[in-house]
PDB file of all heavy atoms in Angstrom:
ATOM      1  N   LEU A   8       5.743  -2.310 -14.387  1.00 97.00           N
ATOM      2  CA  LEU A   8       6.787  -2.968 -13.652  1.00 97.00           C
ATOM      3  C   LEU A   8       6.257  -3.423 -12.252  1.00 97.00           C
ATOM      4  O   LEU A   8       6.529  -4.534 -11.857  1.00 97.00           O
ATOM      5  CB  LEU A   8       7.962  -1.993 -13.407  1.00 97.00           C
ATOM      6  CG  LEU A   8       8.967  -1.808 -14.579  1.00 97.00           C
ATOM      7  CD1 LEU A   8      10.089  -0.829 -14.092  1.00 97.00           C
ATOM      8  CD2 LEU A   8       9.619  -3.173 -14.986  1.00 97.00           C
ATOM      9  N   PHE A   9       5.573  -2.514 -11.604  1.00 97.00           N
ATOM     10  CA  PHE A   9       4.999  -2.833 -10.289  1.00 97.00           C
ATOM     11  C   PHE A   9       4.087  -4.018 -10.346  1.00 97.00           C
ATOM     12  O   PHE A   9       4.172  -4.925  -9.514  1.00 97.00           O
ATOM     13  CB  PHE A   9       4.228  -1.640  -9.723  1.00 97.00           C
ATOM     14  CG  PHE A   9       3.594  -1.923  -8.380  1.00 97.00           C
ATOM     15  CD1 PHE A   9       4.218  -1.621  -7.164  1.00 97.00           C
ATOM     16  CD2 PHE A   9       2.315  -2.420  -8.294  1.00 97.00           C
ATOM     17  CE1 PHE A   9       3.702  -1.944  -5.971  1.00 97.00           C
ATOM     18  CE2 PHE A   9       1.722  -2.670  -7.108  1.00 97.00           C
ATOM     19  CZ  PHE A   9       2.387  -2.431  -5.933  1.00 97.00           C
ATOM     20  N   ARG A  11       4.047  -6.536 -12.200  1.00 97.00           N
ATOM     21  CA  ARG A  11       4.745  -7.739 -12.459  1.00 97.00           C
ATOM     22  C   ARG A  11       5.392  -8.271 -11.184  1.00 97.00           C
ATOM     23  O   ARG A  11       5.918  -9.424 -11.176  1.00 97.00           O
ATOM     24  CB  ARG A  11       5.873  -7.537 -13.532  1.00 97.00           C
ATOM     25  CG  ARG A  11       5.520  -8.282 -14.808  1.00 97.00           C
ATOM     26  CD  ARG A  11       6.564  -8.043 -15.888  1.00 97.00           C
ATOM     27  NE  ARG A  11       6.206  -6.871 -16.744  1.00 97.00           N
ATOM     28  CZ  ARG A  11       7.011  -5.986 -17.223  1.00 97.00           C
ATOM     29  NH1 ARG A  11       8.301  -6.066 -16.973  1.00 97.00           N
ATOM     30  NH2 ARG A  11       6.593  -4.944 -17.893  1.00 97.00           N
ATOM     31  N   LEU A  12       5.535  -7.440 -10.210  1.00 98.00           N
ATOM     32  CA  LEU A  12       6.144  -7.910  -8.950  1.00 98.00           C
ATOM     33  C   LEU A  12       5.270  -9.017  -8.205  1.00 98.00           C
ATOM     34  O   LEU A  12       4.028  -8.955  -8.362  1.00 98.00           O
ATOM     35  CB  LEU A  12       6.330  -6.714  -7.951  1.00 98.00           C
ATOM     36  CG  LEU A  12       7.298  -5.618  -8.353  1.00 98.00           C
ATOM     37  CD1 LEU A  12       7.197  -4.497  -7.257  1.00 98.00           C
ATOM     38  CD2 LEU A  12       8.735  -6.151  -8.458  1.00 98.00           C
ATOM     39  N   SER A  13       5.966  -9.861  -7.493  1.00 98.00           N
ATOM     40  CA  SER A  13       5.201 -10.803  -6.652  1.00 98.00           C
ATOM     41  C   SER A  13       4.473 -10.012  -5.573  1.00 98.00           C
ATOM     42  O   SER A  13       4.745  -8.838  -5.318  1.00 98.00           O
ATOM     43  CB  SER A  13       6.196 -11.814  -5.994  1.00 98.00           C
ATOM     44  OG  SER A  13       6.894 -11.106  -4.984  1.00 98.00           O
ATOM     45  N   ASP A  15       4.515 -10.272  -2.292  1.00 98.00           N
ATOM     46  CA  ASP A  15       5.398  -9.778  -1.256  1.00 98.00           C
ATOM     47  C   ASP A  15       6.235  -8.624  -1.708  1.00 98.00           C
ATOM     48  O   ASP A  15       6.444  -7.703  -0.983  1.00 98.00           O
ATOM     49  CB  ASP A  15       6.262 -10.893  -0.713  1.00 98.00           C
ATOM     50  CG  ASP A  15       5.493 -11.749   0.377  1.00 98.00           C
ATOM     51  OD1 ASP A  15       4.228 -11.674   0.432  1.00 98.00           O
ATOM     52  OD2 ASP A  15       6.107 -12.483   1.146  1.00 98.00           O
ATOM     53  N   ASP A  16       6.708  -8.718  -2.932  1.00 98.00           N
ATOM     54  CA  ASP A  16       7.507  -7.627  -3.502  1.00 98.00           C
ATOM     55  C   ASP A  16       6.665  -6.308  -3.615  1.00 98.00           C
ATOM     56  O   ASP A  16       7.138  -5.255  -3.474  1.00 98.00           O
ATOM     57  CB  ASP A  16       8.194  -7.988  -4.803  1.00 98.00           C
ATOM     58  CG  ASP A  16       9.472  -8.815  -4.629  1.00 98.00           C
ATOM     59  OD1 ASP A  16       9.940  -8.952  -3.451  1.00 98.00           O
ATOM     60  OD2 ASP A  16      10.067  -9.188  -5.634  1.00 98.00           O
ATOM     61  N   GLN A  17       5.422  -6.476  -3.948  1.00 98.00           N
ATOM     62  CA  GLN A  17       4.533  -5.266  -4.031  1.00 98.00           C
ATOM     63  C   GLN A  17       4.428  -4.635  -2.662  1.00 98.00           C
ATOM     64  O   GLN A  17       4.480  -3.424  -2.561  1.00 98.00           O
ATOM     65  CB  GLN A  17       3.146  -5.688  -4.596  1.00 98.00           C
ATOM     66  CG  GLN A  17       3.146  -6.113  -6.060  1.00 98.00           C
ATOM     67  CD  GLN A  17       1.831  -6.266  -6.657  1.00 98.00           C
ATOM     68  OE1 GLN A  17       0.787  -5.904  -6.061  1.00 98.00           O
ATOM     69  NE2 GLN A  17       1.748  -6.831  -7.842  1.00 98.00           N
ATOM     70  N   ALA A  19       6.598  -4.906  -0.180  1.00 98.00           N
ATOM     71  CA  ALA A  19       7.896  -4.324   0.127  1.00 98.00           C
ATOM     72  C   ALA A  19       8.130  -3.027  -0.630  1.00 98.00           C
ATOM     73  O   ALA A  19       8.612  -2.020  -0.062  1.00 98.00           O
ATOM     74  CB  ALA A  19       9.020  -5.343  -0.173  1.00 98.00           C
ATOM     75  N   LEU A  20       7.690  -3.010  -1.870  1.00 98.00           N
ATOM     76  CA  LEU A  20       7.845  -1.821  -2.693  1.00 98.00           C
ATOM     77  C   LEU A  20       7.105  -0.614  -2.110  1.00 98.00           C
ATOM     78  O   LEU A  20       7.569   0.518  -1.967  1.00 98.00           O
ATOM     79  CB  LEU A  20       7.430  -2.050  -4.156  1.00 98.00           C
ATOM     80  CG  LEU A  20       7.617  -0.994  -5.242  1.00 98.00           C
ATOM     81  CD1 LEU A  20       6.578   0.120  -5.133  1.00 98.00           C
ATOM     82  CD2 LEU A  20       8.990  -0.350  -5.147  1.00 98.00           C
ATOM     83  N   TYR A  23       8.941   0.697   0.896  1.00 96.00           N
ATOM     84  CA  TYR A  23      10.075   1.539   0.609  1.00 96.00           C
ATOM     85  C   TYR A  23       9.656   2.900   0.018  1.00 96.00           C
ATOM     86  O   TYR A  23      10.252   3.925   0.242  1.00 96.00           O
ATOM     87  CB  TYR A  23      11.069   0.798  -0.310  1.00 96.00           C
ATOM     88  CG  TYR A  23      11.774  -0.325   0.522  1.00 96.00           C
ATOM     89  CD1 TYR A  23      11.533  -1.639   0.209  1.00 96.00           C
ATOM     90  CD2 TYR A  23      12.630   0.036   1.541  1.00 96.00           C
ATOM     91  CE1 TYR A  23      12.154  -2.640   0.991  1.00 96.00           C
ATOM     92  CE2 TYR A  23      13.229  -1.004   2.349  1.00 96.00           C
ATOM     93  CZ  TYR A  23      13.007  -2.294   1.992  1.00 96.00           C
ATOM     94  OH  TYR A  23      13.571  -3.313   2.771  1.00 96.00           O
ATOM     95  N   TYR A 110      15.572  -6.672   6.605  1.00 96.00           N
ATOM     96  CA  TYR A 110      14.926  -7.106   5.312  1.00 96.00           C
ATOM     97  C   TYR A 110      15.684  -6.559   4.151  1.00 96.00           C
ATOM     98  O   TYR A 110      15.976  -5.325   4.092  1.00 96.00           O
ATOM     99  CB  TYR A 110      13.475  -6.693   5.279  1.00 96.00           C
ATOM    100  CG  TYR A 110      12.755  -7.233   4.125  1.00 96.00           C
ATOM    101  CD1 TYR A 110      12.294  -8.551   4.166  1.00 96.00           C
ATOM    102  CD2 TYR A 110      12.487  -6.472   2.934  1.00 96.00           C
ATOM    103  CE1 TYR A 110      11.604  -9.145   3.052  1.00 96.00           C
ATOM    104  CE2 TYR A 110      11.801  -7.043   1.874  1.00 96.00           C
ATOM    105  CZ  TYR A 110      11.359  -8.368   1.954  1.00 96.00           C
ATOM    106  OH  TYR A 110      10.659  -8.893   0.884  1.00 96.00           O
ATOM    107  N   GLN A 111      16.054  -7.343   3.211  1.00 96.00           N
ATOM    108  CA  GLN A 111      16.759  -6.922   2.022  1.00 96.00           C
ATOM    109  C   GLN A 111      15.778  -7.001   0.790  1.00 96.00           C
ATOM    110  O   GLN A 111      15.271  -8.051   0.498  1.00 96.00           O
ATOM    111  CB  GLN A 111      17.972  -7.818   1.703  1.00 96.00           C
ATOM    112  CG  GLN A 111      19.077  -7.770   2.725  1.00 96.00           C
ATOM    113  CD  GLN A 111      19.757  -6.384   2.716  1.00 96.00           C
ATOM    114  OE1 GLN A 111      19.890  -5.753   1.687  1.00 96.00           O
ATOM    115  NE2 GLN A 111      20.068  -5.903   3.914  1.00 96.00           N
ATOM    116  N   PRO A 112      15.489  -5.839   0.187  1.00 97.00           N
ATOM    117  CA  PRO A 112      14.622  -5.862  -0.969  1.00 97.00           C
ATOM    118  C   PRO A 112      15.166  -6.702  -2.099  1.00 97.00           C
ATOM    119  O   PRO A 112      16.415  -6.705  -2.296  1.00 97.00           O
ATOM    120  CB  PRO A 112      14.435  -4.422  -1.377  1.00 97.00           C
ATOM    121  CG  PRO A 112      15.560  -3.694  -0.753  1.00 97.00           C
ATOM    122  CD  PRO A 112      16.006  -4.463   0.482  1.00 97.00           C
ATOM    123  N   SER A 113      14.328  -7.357  -2.909  1.00 98.00           N
ATOM    124  CA  SER A 113      14.782  -8.118  -4.067  1.00 98.00           C
ATOM    125  C   SER A 113      15.316  -7.142  -5.073  1.00 98.00           C
ATOM    126  O   SER A 113      14.980  -5.918  -5.061  1.00 98.00           O
ATOM    127  CB  SER A 113      13.644  -8.963  -4.599  1.00 98.00           C
ATOM    128  OG  SER A 113      12.704  -8.119  -5.261  1.00 98.00           O
ATOM    129  N   SER A 114      16.034  -7.597  -6.098  1.00 98.00           N
ATOM    130  CA  SER A 114      16.449  -6.750  -7.162  1.00 98.00           C
ATOM    131  C   SER A 114      15.272  -6.138  -7.932  1.00 98.00           C
ATOM    132  O   SER A 114      15.298  -5.092  -8.461  1.00 98.00           O
ATOM    133  CB  SER A 114      17.470  -7.415  -8.015  1.00 98.00           C
ATOM    134  OG  SER A 114      16.898  -8.592  -8.576  1.00 98.00           O
ATOM    135  N   ASP A 115      14.239  -6.992  -8.014  1.00 97.00           N
ATOM    136  CA  ASP A 115      13.052  -6.472  -8.710  1.00 97.00           C
ATOM    137  C   ASP A 115      12.405  -5.221  -8.007  1.00 97.00           C
ATOM    138  O   ASP A 115      12.015  -4.260  -8.627  1.00 97.00           O
ATOM    139  CB  ASP A 115      11.950  -7.576  -8.747  1.00 97.00           C
ATOM    140  CG  ASP A 115      12.269  -8.674  -9.712  1.00 97.00           C
ATOM    141  OD1 ASP A 115      13.231  -8.543 -10.513  1.00 97.00           O
ATOM    142  OD2 ASP A 115      11.680  -9.760  -9.597  1.00 97.00           O
ATOM    143  N   VAL A 116      12.412  -5.277  -6.701  1.00 98.00           N
ATOM    144  CA  VAL A 116      11.898  -4.195  -5.875  1.00 98.00           C
ATOM    145  C   VAL A 116      12.726  -2.975  -6.089  1.00 98.00           C
ATOM    146  O   VAL A 116      12.254  -1.896  -6.322  1.00 98.00           O
ATOM    147  CB  VAL A 116      11.800  -4.563  -4.408  1.00 98.00           C
ATOM    148  CG1 VAL A 116      11.553  -3.342  -3.490  1.00 98.00           C
ATOM    149  CG2 VAL A 116      10.660  -5.644  -4.213  1.00 98.00           C
ATOM    150  N   THR A 117      14.069  -3.211  -6.005  1.00 97.00           N
ATOM    151  CA  THR A 117      14.994  -2.064  -6.154  1.00 97.00           C
ATOM    152  C   THR A 117      14.813  -1.430  -7.585  1.00 97.00           C
ATOM    153  O   THR A 117      14.819  -0.174  -7.646  1.00 97.00           O
ATOM    154  CB  THR A 117      16.455  -2.527  -5.992  1.00 97.00           C
ATOM    155  OG1 THR A 117      16.555  -3.311  -4.752  1.00 97.00           O
ATOM    156  CG2 THR A 117      17.426  -1.440  -5.949  1.00 97.00           C
ATOM    157  N   GLU A 118      14.620  -2.255  -8.547  1.00 97.00           N
ATOM    158  CA  GLU A 118      14.440  -1.762  -9.917  1.00 97.00           C
ATOM    159  C   GLU A 118      13.274  -0.791 -10.009  1.00 97.00           C
ATOM    160  O   GLU A 118      13.291   0.341 -10.558  1.00 97.00           O
ATOM    161  CB  GLU A 118      14.261  -2.880 -10.928  1.00 97.00           C
ATOM    162  CG  GLU A 118      14.210  -2.434 -12.367  1.00 97.00           C
ATOM    163  CD  GLU A 118      13.739  -3.569 -13.227  1.00 97.00           C
ATOM    164  OE1 GLU A 118      13.437  -4.671 -12.791  1.00 97.00           O
ATOM    165  OE2 GLU A 118      13.539  -3.284 -14.466  1.00 97.00           O
ATOM    166  N   VAL A 119      12.105  -1.276  -9.430  1.00 97.00           N
ATOM    167  CA  VAL A 119      10.916  -0.501  -9.503  1.00 97.00           C
ATOM    168  C   VAL A 119      11.042   0.858  -8.616  1.00 97.00           C
ATOM    169  O   VAL A 119      10.570   1.901  -9.068  1.00 97.00           O
ATOM    170  CB  VAL A 119       9.619  -1.294  -9.104  1.00 97.00           C
ATOM    171  CG1 VAL A 119       8.402  -0.470  -9.195  1.00 97.00           C
ATOM    172  CG2 VAL A 119       9.559  -2.615  -9.899  1.00 97.00           C
ATOM    173  N   LEU A 120      11.715   0.608  -7.494  1.00 96.00           N
ATOM    174  CA  LEU A 120      11.935   1.775  -6.624  1.00 96.00           C
ATOM    175  C   LEU A 120      12.716   2.876  -7.383  1.00 96.00           C
ATOM    176  O   LEU A 120      12.435   4.043  -7.280  1.00 96.00           O
ATOM    177  CB  LEU A 120      12.557   1.345  -5.362  1.00 96.00           C
ATOM    178  CG  LEU A 120      12.565   2.338  -4.209  1.00 96.00           C
ATOM    179  CD1 LEU A 120      11.171   2.623  -3.774  1.00 96.00           C
ATOM    180  CD2 LEU A 120      13.427   1.837  -3.016  1.00 96.00           C
ATOM    181  N   GLU A 121      13.801   2.431  -8.023  1.00 96.00           N
ATOM    182  CA  GLU A 121      14.593   3.390  -8.821  1.00 96.00           C
ATOM    183  C   GLU A 121      13.814   4.056  -9.865  1.00 96.00           C
ATOM    184  O   GLU A 121      13.915   5.231 -10.069  1.00 96.00           O
ATOM    185  CB  GLU A 121      15.841   2.717  -9.410  1.00 96.00           C
ATOM    186  CG  GLU A 121      16.875   2.246  -8.330  1.00 96.00           C
ATOM    187  CD  GLU A 121      17.307   3.351  -7.337  1.00 96.00           C
ATOM    188  OE1 GLU A 121      17.517   4.526  -7.824  1.00 96.00           O
ATOM    189  OE2 GLU A 121      17.372   3.132  -6.137  1.00 96.00           O
ATOM    190  N   ALA A 122      12.968   3.276 -10.532  1.00 96.00           N
ATOM    191  CA  ALA A 122      12.089   3.841 -11.576  1.00 96.00           C
ATOM    192  C   ALA A 122      11.162   4.953 -10.990  1.00 96.00           C
ATOM    193  O   ALA A 122      10.976   6.022 -11.594  1.00 96.00           O
ATOM    194  CB  ALA A 122      11.228   2.793 -12.264  1.00 96.00           C
ATOM    195  N   ILE A 123      10.639   4.662  -9.856  1.00 95.00           N
ATOM    196  CA  ILE A 123       9.755   5.609  -9.182  1.00 95.00           C
ATOM    197  C   ILE A 123      10.551   6.871  -8.772  1.00 95.00           C
ATOM    198  O   ILE A 123      10.057   7.999  -8.964  1.00 95.00           O
ATOM    199  CB  ILE A 123       9.025   5.019  -7.962  1.00 95.00           C
ATOM    200  CG1 ILE A 123       8.067   3.945  -8.488  1.00 95.00           C
ATOM    201  CG2 ILE A 123       8.308   6.067  -7.126  1.00 95.00           C
ATOM    202  CD1 ILE A 123       7.395   3.152  -7.290  1.00 95.00           C
TER     203      ILE A 123
END
Side-chain angles (χ1 to χ4, degrees):
L8 281 180
F9 177 89
R11 247 178 270 142
L12 294 174
S13 71
D15 277 17
D16 276 358
Q17 290 188 11
L20 186 280
Y23 290 110
Y110 188 80
Q111 293 294 324
S113 70
S114 55
D115 290 344
V116 167
T117 308
E118 183 195 0
V119 181
L120 194 64
E121 290 308 316
I123 292 175

